[in-house]
Amino acid sequence: MSSIQASRGTRDILAPEIYDWQHLEALARRILAQAAYTEIRTPSFEATELFARGIGETTDIVGKEMYTFVDKGDRSLTLRPEGTAGAVRAFIEHKLFAQGGVQRLWYTGAMFRYERPQAGRQRQFHQLGVEVLGSKDPRADAEVIAIASDFLTELGLTDLVVDLNSVGNAEDRLAYRGALVDYFTPYEAELDADSRDRLTRNPLRILDSKDKRTQEIVQAAPSILDYLGAESQKHFERVRSLLQDLGIAFRLNPRLVRGLDYYTHTAFEIQSTLLGAQSAVCGGGRYDRLVAELGGADTPAVGWAIGLERLVLLLQKLSQRTAPTADFYLVSRGELAEAKALFVAQSLRRAGFITELDLSGAKFDKQLKRASSAGAKAALILGESEVASGQLQLKWLATGEQQAIALTDITANPETFRQTFSQRFSS
Ligand code: ATP
Ligand code: MG
């Protein structure tokens, strides 16, 4: 029978890569807790309509990339392609706005998009995201960018660039949209097929095209910055000055758009120069009209999502994290000694030591070799004679130095044992 493999565009995450994931997840938890953000876990699938309305029918995600299926109850469901729509649905459904003030939420989890798999682009991938709901203060925009920047910097990533833009409010964009249609129409025949289609439906998204000829045409297109009204300009100036105060470098990129009607004001992306074609690690912005669009009360909001696979690729370019190594490795032989060894292992684990138990029943020297290659700091050796005398042998694997220890020192006084040996381990 032929063996079954992971589906195209999905992958298993194994050691040692898993240690990079655990590291960045732990760091994210710490940084977001320090900023008083609350974790939210929403379902992996939602009603298809949520994404159609929340992301927009004219986007690549909704138009081409969704995993949509009809369940046995005849409902159209979709594996979530991103996290904002679900978070906003939960915000409305649980009336989180009734708690007053600002909600700061974060999430992490698998997302699903039917894309052409390549380095840094998968069909099941993972995002970490934040959403700040209920504030139109430009400080909220600057805060979320600062948190992303701190997180990436603490991970050790130094080659990052923040691209910043404002897409204004609905009124500004209506004027800009007209200017774009006027500009692109004479080039219509030269645009790629998707962009031609967007010319009438959503011309802002043409700026986002990855087609080479379209990109050339985009170079001379009008800039959104020339179409911002007084309110939008004021908001954008404030965001920029707050970022400058925070010492966060950014470059203005008037071609950076989030082409939906619900996106407003700040749009940003964080790029890494080390990532090649898939260079964006973080994308975000303000979406003051989305909550109302999904049926909630008018609620301004801003957020971002980071692609974790791309972060892990970057971490691996720096250096690979390794497995935490065992403090103790238990070597035993003979039925009585083997039972005692399991008992001792549990005592040590409860006392906080990383403890590995050899289950092989092999000869002592073989087990000791495994203790060394596992990188353990010390081996604890238990044979028939040790059990008879109520002792075991502790062997420091780096020096070969050996000492006898009473079994009861570990099993009856684990706290004293912990204190004595924690010191030896740290010295
Ligand atoms: P791209 O232009 O690379 O397709 P996007 O605009 O579709 O990105 P967003 O929807 O803004 O991406 O998602 C935020 C982040 O999630 C991206 O910056 C990227 O790091 C990551 N991401 C998006 N799609 C994928 C994917 N298919 N595989 C891995 N990571 C992804
Ligand atoms: Mg994409």
Side-chain angles (χ1 to χ4, degrees):
M1 214 167 54
S2 66
S3 62
I4 299 170
Q5 292 177 341
S7 301
R8 181 166 154 79
T10 72
R11 55 191 289 274
D12 304 306
I13 303 171
L14 310 174
E17 183 189 326
I18 195 71
Y19 301 112
D20 284 327
W21 285 84
Q22 291 175 344
H23 172 66
L24 66 85
E25 285 159 5
L27 184 66
R29 261 167 223 287
R30 176 165 71 67
I31 286 187
L32 291 163
Q34 281 166 345
Y37 282 61
T38 307
E39 184 181 358
I40 174 172
R41 298 187 189 184
T42 65
S44 300
F45 59 83
E46 301 265 3
T48 301
E49 190 197 347
L50 174 69
F51 302 117
R53 272 164 61 188
I55 303 172
E57 303 274 8
T58 58
T59 58
D60 279 353
I61 295 181
V62 174
K64 306 178 191 165
E65 298 175 358
M66 295 212 298
Y67 277 92
T68 298
F69 59 97
V70 176
D71 79 356
K72 294 192 199 313
D74 247 1
R75 302 170 191 88
S76 179
L77 300 173
T78 294
L79 297 183
R80 61 176 178 191
E82 52 94 61
T84 302
V88 168
R89 182 208 36 78
F91 173 84
I92 298 167
E93 187 169 332
H94 301 283
K95 303 189 170 48
L96 296 181
F97 48 84
Q99 295 169 15
V102 173
Q103 283 286 322
R104 290 178 163 90
L105 305 175
W106 73 271
Y107 61 82
T108 187
M111 307 294 160
F112 307 86
R113 296 183 193 178
Y114 193 79
E115 301 208 61
R116 195 169 67 77
Q118 50 200 294
R121 192 175 294 284
Q122 294 173 201
R123 292 181 174 172
Q124 173 170 340
F125 63 100
H126 299 80
Q127 285 185 339
L128 168 75
V130 303
E131 317 291 352
V132 176
L133 296 131
S135 173
K136 56 180 173 28
D137 193 318
R139 284 180 298 171
D141 311 41
E143 175 181 293
V144 295
I145 295 174
I147 288 171
S149 164
D150 276 1
F151 172 57
L152 298 168
T153 307
E154 270 210 52
L155 279 175
L157 307 177
T158 51
D159 68 309
L160 301 169
V161 185
V162 180
D163 271 350
L164 188 69
N165 194 22
S166 169
V167 296
N169 59 24
E171 209 180 304
D172 306 335
R173 257 199 328 283
L174 201 63
Y176 182 52
R177 191 195 148 102
L180 282 181
V181 173
D182 289 347
Y183 172 78
F184 283 121
T185 303
Y187 294 105
E188 188 169 351
E190 293 172 64
L191 297 174
D192 60 279
D194 281 343
S195 296
R196 262 200 308 278
D197 184 44
R198 285 167 177 157
L199 190 52
T200 46
R201 301 211 299 157
N202 193 348
L204 258 77
R205 292 215 59 88
I206 299 177
L207 303 181
D208 220 13
S209 167
K210 286 171 181 145
D211 179 79
K212 223 173 134 224
R213 178 60 191 137
T214 302
Q215 268 306 318
E216 283 168 14
I217 298 168
V218 162
Q219 290 304 313
S223 162
I224 178 93
L225 297 179
D226 296 327
Y227 290 83
L228 298 183
E231 180 219 336
S232 302
Q233 275 185 30
K234 195 169 153 224
H235 185 95
F236 194 36
E237 272 161 26
R238 179 83 170 142
V239 171
R240 286 180 343 228
S241 92
L242 290 167
L243 290 175
Q244 269 152 9
D245 291 348
L246 287 163
I248 296 171
F250 58 86
R251 66 181 181 205
L252 282 187
N253 179 356
R255 308 273 174 251
L256 176 68
V257 288
R258 311 228 117 206
L260 301 184
D261 293 344
Y262 333 121
Y263 285 106
T264 47
H265 302 292
T266 315
F268 67 94
E269 245 175 44
I270 304 180
Q271 315 270 348
S272 163
T273 51
L274 293 177
L275 276 178
Q278 267 57 251
S279 62
V281 289
C282 176
R286 183 165 272 287
Y287 51 95
D288 288 347
R289 295 174 54 207
L290 179 59
V291 182
E293 180 62 32
L294 291 177
D298 227 338
T299 308
V302 60
W304 49 249
I306 287 179
L308 296 182
E309 272 75 8
R310 294 184 195 175
L311 274 198
V312 169
L313 283 174
L314 285 173
L315 289 182
Q316 288 173 345
K317 293 200 168 149
L318 298 175
S319 75
Q320 179 94 59
R321 233 148 249 284
T322 49
T325 51
D327 299 315
F328 291 114
Y329 189 100
L330 274 146
V331 168
S332 59
R333 223 170 128 76
E335 214 169 304
L336 264 180
E338 285 169 359
K340 247 320 173 240
L342 173 60
F343 191 82
V344 169
Q346 287 308 101
S347 303
L348 288 168
R349 288 164 178 164
R350 282 195 294 264
F353 292 105
I354 304 177
T355 306
E356 198 170 333
L357 173 68
D358 194 305
L359 292 172
S360 69
K363 297 214 170 82
F364 279 119
D365 57 344
K366 247 200 168 154
Q367 292 191 42
L368 278 166
K369 244 185 221 144
R370 282 211 196 93
S372 293
S373 55
K377 299 184 185 89
L380 289 171
I381 307 160
L382 259 168
E384 303 293 341
S385 58
E386 280 81 10
V387 176
S389 64
Q391 288 197 322
L392 43 67
Q393 291 294 320
L394 187 155
K395 181 173 182 180
W396 295 101
L397 291 168
T399 58
E401 178 196 350
Q402 203 158 319
Q403 67 194 90
I405 294 194
L407 267 171
T408 50
D409 278 358
I410 300 176
T411 54
N413 302 305
E415 182 53 24
T416 319
F417 183 80
R418 191 184 67 75
Q419 280 170 11
T420 318
F421 281 90
S422 293
Q423 267 168 12
R424 286 227 36 175
F425 281 140
S426 55
S427 63

